[in-house]
Amino acid sequence: MPVVIKKILAWGFLAFLIYFMAFRPDGAAQLFKGIGVALMAIAQGLGDFLTGLVA
């Protein structure tokens, strides 16, 4: 993908993120909380997998 398109998409995503946090703070908080829960579940699953390999 050309560099210009990547920059446009990155700036557009950043602008949307700022807009979303400014005008829908409750929705943004729930979104980030959900992302955090998903990352913790992935980390827990990876830890369980590695524990199973060692035991």
Side-chain angles (χ1 to χ4, degrees), residues 6-52:
K6 286 183 182 181
K7 284 185 179 182
I8 290 171
L9 289 175
W11 280 108
F13 176 74
L14 183 63
F16 174 75
L17 189 61
I18 291 170
Y19 175 82
F20 187 57
M21 287 190 303
F23 292 103
R24 302 266 324 224
D26 293 334
Q30 289 298 325
L31 175 69
F32 284 107
K33 186 186 287 187
I35 290 170
V37 167
L39 290 175
M40 288 301 294
I42 290 169
Q44 181 68 41
L46 182 61
D48 293 343
F49 171 73
L50 293 174
T51 301

